[in-house]
Amino acid sequence: MYKNITGMKDIMPKEIIKWHFVENNIKKTFENYNYKEVRTPVLEFTALFKRGVGEDTDIVEKEMYTFNDRNGKSLSLRPEGTASTVRAYVQSKEYANTPLTKYYYIGEMYRHERPQKGRYRAFNQVGAEFFGASSPASDLEIIQMIDDLLKSIKLKDYTIFINSIGCGDCRPGHKQALIDFFTPYKEELCSDCQRRLNTNPMRIIDCKVESCKKIVENSPKMSEYYCNSCSTHNNTLLSLMKNTDIPYKVDEKIVRGLDYYVKTTFEVRVSGDILGSQNTIIGGGRYNHLVKELGGPSVEAIGFGIGMERVIMSLTEEVKEKPLDYVVIILGEKALAPSLKIVHDLRKENFSVDVDYRLGSLKSQMRWANKRNAQKVIIVGEQEIENKEYIEKDMLTSEQIKKPFN
Ligand code: HAM
């Protein structure tokens, strides 16, 4: 028997109704904010992610599915959606048509991580990217959209954690302070953080290893190094947030695991045990230089990615399958052609209809209709053909009426 690849799950019909519920609310909410859907290929040139996500990130260093194609070109399955979306934005020259562009996408991403509850090697992300806006008001809009969405799917116990990780002007000062602070502890840091000390010491701040967490507690805070522009941006956003009813907290540990972020970064986490340590359902932030890095003009941007599996696992709202409108019960050969016409006519009228094509006894077809949760059953037997009328039974009230064939 063939089995799926470790960390890559099938989503079967029982589960998919929850996905449709969330996806429908995503589309509705995002369209309220004037976002347009884009679809990009799952395969891209590896160079895009090296440049876009960053060579020193865990994702590019050790998690990508990378291989050479038949022409010897290095390709990778997308580990996230921002780099591809920015590539498509730049390639289509959308920036030349309009100064503000809002895209969203929905699709499978691939990371060779250690699978566990809420962490997979193939997982679905919904992302939104807002190009062209640099003001804290656009940060607020993004956060409001997330909050509207989470409320629309009735998610409980979530908090939006907000931070600013500074910019190219103020981060070098903080970086040096971190190097000075962590160097004496080098031997006590985990092997990943020892490497991060040379590549990106800021990432030590969100290390999940207990011994590193302890050392991080007293490390220099980014907020002490903000330049004027970062300080004003962050203060304005936080004062705008105070005027909303959005559940948020400031968390200076949100440094994010991708290289493109500057200024505002945020994550949404759910409390409770459902997701264990993988309780971050959404991550995002501002990336003001990526469009230029990937060959476009200087366009500032902000966006986020939603981990769909994690959101689905956090749902508390019961999502019920839509019942079938009709089951048509066909009894005897003479009833076949007129019944099939009824089936097709109803479907053309947009009713959901099904038939137990094993065409067994009335009792077994009735049992089948019950199992399918049919609202109504139409019964056509030879007697009905002779009388030129069929029986329609309401399965809730058990009421039966006769209807003429036309
Ligand atoms: P990210 O934080 O790497 O950001 O991923 C966003 C979300 O995807 C996470 O918060 C998590 O819910 C989900 N996720 C990530 N890895 C896995 C996994 N292995 N299994 C299940 N779920 C996972 C990004 O990818 C950025 N592109 C987000 C963004 C968009 N920033 C700006 N625009």
Side-chain angles (χ1 to χ4, degrees):
M1 187 174 62
Y2 294 108
K3 289 204 168 160
N4 58 326
I5 297 168
T6 308
M8 303 195 176
K9 294 202 310 176
D10 304 311
I11 310 166
M12 303 304 283
K14 256 196 183 149
E15 275 284 294
I16 213 86
I17 53 172
K18 295 184 194 165
W19 288 71
H20 289 168
F21 166 69
V22 176
E23 284 165 5
N24 289 341
N25 278 290
I26 285 171
K27 285 182 183 160
K28 200 168 168 299
T29 309
F30 287 13
E31 275 159 25
N32 287 349
Y33 285 77
N34 198 25
Y35 278 74
K36 308 286 179 210
E37 187 181 354
V38 289
R39 297 185 189 186
T40 62
V42 293
L43 266 183
E44 298 272 1
F45 291 116
T46 305
L48 173 72
F49 301 117
K50 282 193 175 169
R51 189 76 190 261
V53 177
E55 293 226 43
D56 297 328
T57 59
D58 284 354
I59 294 177
V60 170
E61 249 185 8
K62 49 188 184 189
E63 293 170 2
M64 285 212 297
Y65 283 87
T66 299
F67 58 92
N68 283 349
D69 74 358
R70 288 168 197 275
N71 302 324
K73 292 246 160 50
S74 180
L75 308 180
S76 293
L77 283 170
R78 61 183 179 193
E80 58 100 59
T82 308
S84 309
T85 306
V86 173
R87 180 203 46 72
Y89 170 75
V90 171
Q91 194 175 335
S92 65
K93 295 197 170 62
E94 185 58 21
Y95 51 80
N97 296 329
T98 160
L100 300 177
T101 302
K102 294 172 171 180
Y103 287 154
Y104 77 94
Y105 50 87
I106 193 160
E108 200 165 52
M109 312 290 157
Y110 307 86
R111 295 184 194 176
H112 197 277
E113 294 193 83
R114 193 170 49 79
Q116 63 181 91
K117 190 164 67 172
R119 188 162 74 189
Y120 309 102
R121 290 182 173 166
F123 60 97
N124 288 272
Q125 252 188 14
V126 169
E129 315 291 355
F130 184 2
F131 298 102
S134 58
S135 77
S138 55
D139 300 16
L140 176 76
E141 193 191 86
I142 281 264
I143 292 170
Q144 277 174 328
M145 184 164 86
I146 291 173
D147 190 58
D148 283 1
L149 169 69
L150 298 182
K151 288 201 167 102
S152 76
I153 59 169
K154 301 190 174 58
L155 207 75
K156 294 194 183 85
D157 301 328
Y158 66 88
T159 307
I160 304 179
F161 294 89
I162 302 176
N163 188 24
S164 167
I165 56 167
C167 67
D169 286 340
C170 50
R171 225 186 276 163
H174 182 230
K175 183 177 179 183
Q176 192 53 53
L178 289 176
I179 295 172
D180 295 345
F181 176 84
F182 285 121
T183 302
Y185 297 103
K186 190 169 176 183
E187 298 307 314
E188 293 160 54
L189 294 170
C190 71
S191 57
D192 275 342
C193 283
Q194 291 190 9
R195 181 174 45 82
R196 288 169 184 148
L197 190 52
N198 297 320
T199 54
N200 191 347
M202 191 171 69
R203 210 148 282 149
I204 300 174
I205 295 172
D206 77 341
C207 180
K208 305 288 180 287
V209 176
E210 275 313 313
S211 50
C212 295
K213 274 191 186 170
K214 276 221 174 82
I215 301 170
V216 165
E217 266 169 30
N218 298 316
S219 64
K221 294 202 167 15
M222 181 69 223
S223 55
E224 290 159 18
Y225 293 82
Y226 290 155
C227 60
N228 276 343
S229 159
C230 286
S231 178
T232 311
H233 188 103
N234 196 40
N235 289 339
T236 311
L237 172 62
L238 295 181
S239 75
L240 289 171
M241 288 295 302
K242 279 192 194 124
N243 285 313
T244 69
D245 61 354
I246 299 172
Y248 81 96
K249 282 192 179 132
V250 174
D251 181 353
E252 288 210 36
K253 289 206 179 70
I254 294 175
V255 297
R256 311 280 300 128
L258 303 96
D259 268 357
Y260 42 67
Y261 294 111
V262 287
K263 290 197 162 109
T264 309
T265 52
F266 56 86
E267 286 181 358
V268 183
R269 285 182 222 134
V270 285
S271 49
D273 302 329
I274 324 151
L275 286 169
S277 61
Q278 305 303 312
N279 64 344
T280 303
I281 56 168
I282 299 175
R286 192 158 265 298
Y287 51 96
N288 289 344
H289 308 296
L290 187 60
V291 175
K292 192 152 192 218
E293 282 271 311
L294 297 182
S298 182
V299 172
E300 303 189 335
I302 181 166
F304 62 86
I306 306 175
M308 280 293 282
E309 283 77 3
R310 294 184 191 182
V311 168
I312 302 286
M313 286 167 81
S314 315
L315 282 183
T316 47
E317 179 80 350
E318 196 196 346
V319 185
K320 286 200 179 122
E321 196 174 354
K322 199 174 156 282
L324 201 57
D325 293 324
Y326 285 97
V327 161
V328 176
I329 293 181
I330 309 172
L331 301 166
E333 218 161 284
K334 277 195 192 147
L336 194 58
S339 305
L340 294 179
K341 185 168 180 336
I342 294 177
V343 171
H344 197 203
D345 286 349
L346 284 170
R347 284 175 177 159
K348 284 192 286 190
E349 297 276 326
N350 276 328
F351 289 108
S352 56
V353 190
D354 212 350
V355 174
D356 178 0
Y357 280 105
R358 295 168 303 171
L359 302 178
S361 65
L362 173 63
K363 204 170 157 197
S364 82
Q365 292 195 50
M366 210 50 169
R367 206 178 309 126
W368 191 83
N370 261 322
K371 274 202 177 156
R372 280 351 10 80
N373 203 12
Q375 301 291 288
K376 285 183 179 167
V377 160
I378 285 175
I379 305 168
V380 193
E382 304 206 344
Q383 188 69 55
E384 282 71 37
I385 301 291
E386 249 167 53
N387 298 345
K388 294 194 170 60
E389 45 184 27
Y390 60 83
I391 299 167
E392 187 176 295
K393 181 174 178 182
D394 188 311
M395 298 295 268
L396 267 184
T397 60
S398 287
E399 196 188 332
Q400 281 196 183
I401 48 167
K402 289 190 172 170
K403 284 189 168 178
F405 265 110
N406 58 0

